[in-house]
Amino acid sequence: MLTLIEMSPTPTPVSTGIDTGGLANFLRAFFAPLFLVVVSVVALFFLFTREITRFVQFLILAVAIGVIFYVPNIIEVTARAIAGALGIQ
Protein backbone atom coordinates (compact mmCIF):
# COMPACT_ATOMS: atom_id res chain seq x y z
CA MET A 1 0.00 0.00 0.00
CA LEU A 2 2.89 2.33 0.68
CA THR A 3 4.14 1.99 -2.91
CA LEU A 4 0.68 2.83 -4.22
CA ILE A 5 0.69 6.09 -2.27
CA GLU A 6 4.17 6.93 -3.49
CA MET A 7 3.19 6.38 -7.14
CA SER A 8 0.11 8.58 -7.06
CA PRO A 9 0.67 11.99 -8.64
CA THR A 10 0.90 14.93 -6.33
CA PRO A 11 -1.75 17.58 -6.88
CA THR A 12 -0.48 20.73 -8.51
CA PRO A 13 -1.23 23.99 -6.72
CA VAL A 14 -3.96 26.12 -8.22
CA SER A 15 -2.70 29.31 -9.79
CA THR A 16 -4.15 32.32 -8.03
CA GLY A 17 -2.62 34.93 -10.36
CA ILE A 18 -4.54 36.64 -13.11
CA ASP A 19 -3.69 35.59 -16.66
CA THR A 20 -3.34 38.86 -18.56
CA GLY A 21 -2.38 37.32 -21.90
CA GLY A 22 -5.96 37.35 -23.13
CA LEU A 23 -6.47 40.92 -21.96
CA ALA A 24 -3.33 42.10 -23.74
CA ASN A 25 -4.44 40.41 -26.97
CA PHE A 26 -7.90 41.97 -26.69
CA LEU A 27 -6.47 45.46 -26.13
CA ARG A 28 -4.08 45.07 -29.06
CA ALA A 29 -6.93 43.95 -31.30
CA PHE A 30 -9.11 46.83 -30.09
CA PHE A 31 -6.58 49.65 -30.34
CA ALA A 32 -4.75 48.55 -33.51
CA PRO A 33 -7.40 49.88 -35.93
CA LEU A 34 -7.81 53.05 -33.88
CA PHE A 35 -4.04 53.61 -33.89
CA LEU A 36 -3.88 53.10 -37.66
CA VAL A 37 -6.72 55.56 -38.27
CA VAL A 38 -5.11 58.27 -36.13
CA VAL A 39 -1.71 57.75 -37.75
CA SER A 40 -3.27 57.87 -41.22
CA VAL A 41 -5.22 61.08 -40.57
CA VAL A 42 -2.23 62.89 -39.08
CA ALA A 43 0.07 61.68 -41.87
CA LEU A 44 -2.39 62.88 -44.52
CA PHE A 45 -2.61 66.25 -42.77
CA PHE A 46 1.16 66.65 -42.89
CA LEU A 47 1.28 65.61 -46.53
CA PHE A 48 -1.47 67.98 -47.62
CA THR A 49 0.09 70.92 -45.79
CA ARG A 50 3.44 70.00 -47.42
CA GLU A 51 5.30 69.68 -44.14
CA ILE A 52 7.54 66.86 -45.27
CA THR A 53 10.00 67.15 -42.38
CA ARG A 54 7.23 66.84 -39.78
CA PHE A 55 5.70 64.00 -41.80
CA VAL A 56 8.94 62.03 -41.71
CA GLN A 57 9.41 62.72 -37.98
CA PHE A 58 5.84 61.65 -37.27
CA LEU A 59 6.21 58.53 -39.38
CA ILE A 60 9.36 57.47 -37.52
CA LEU A 61 7.67 58.11 -34.17
CA ALA A 62 4.53 56.21 -35.22
CA VAL A 63 6.57 53.20 -36.33
CA ALA A 64 8.53 53.21 -33.04
CA ILE A 65 5.33 53.37 -30.98
CA GLY A 66 3.75 50.64 -33.10
CA VAL A 67 6.73 48.35 -32.58
CA ILE A 68 6.79 48.96 -28.82
CA PHE A 69 3.09 48.26 -28.33
CA TYR A 70 2.35 45.58 -30.90
CA VAL A 71 5.41 43.31 -30.92
CA PRO A 72 5.00 40.80 -28.08
CA ASN A 73 7.65 40.90 -25.33
CA ILE A 74 9.67 43.66 -27.02
CA ILE A 75 10.06 45.63 -23.79
CA GLU A 76 11.27 42.57 -21.87
CA VAL A 77 13.72 41.57 -24.61
CA THR A 78 15.04 45.13 -24.92
CA ALA A 79 15.47 45.45 -21.15
CA ARG A 80 17.39 42.17 -21.00
CA ALA A 81 19.58 43.24 -23.92
CA ILE A 82 20.40 46.58 -22.28
CA ALA A 83 21.11 44.86 -18.96
CA GLY A 84 23.36 42.34 -20.71
CA ALA A 85 25.22 45.11 -22.51
CA LEU A 86 25.79 46.89 -19.21
CA GLY A 87 27.02 43.67 -17.59
CA ILE A 88 24.05 43.33 -15.23
CA GLN A 89 22.83 39.79 -14.80
Side-chain angles (χ1 to χ4, degrees), residues 67-89:
V67 166
I68 289 171
F69 285 111
Y70 295 114
V71 174
N73 298 330
I74 191 72
I75 297 173
E76 179 183 349
V77 170
T78 306
R80 285 186 182 173
I82 291 172
L86 293 175
I88 303 170
Q89 300 253 341

Side-chain angles (χ1 to χ4, degrees), residues 21-74:
L23 177 63
N25 290 334
F26 170 75
L27 289 175
R28 282 189 188 110
F30 181 75
F31 285 112
L34 183 65
F35 177 74
L36 288 176
V37 167
V38 170
V39 167
S40 300
V41 169
V42 173
L44 285 174
F45 173 76
F46 284 139
L47 281 177
F48 284 130
T49 58
R50 297 184 184 199
E51 297 182 30
I52 302 301
T53 305
R54 286 192 181 183
F55 169 72
V56 172
Q57 291 172 350
F58 175 75
L59 193 61
I60 292 171
L61 183 65
V63 168
I65 290 172
V67 166
I68 289 171
F69 285 111
Y70 295 114
V71 174
N73 298 330
I74 191 72

Side-chain angles (χ1 to χ4, degrees), residues 1-10:
M1 181 149 167
L2 185 58
T3 58
L4 188 61
I5 294 173
E6 290 174 356
M7 290 181 7
S8 65
T10 58

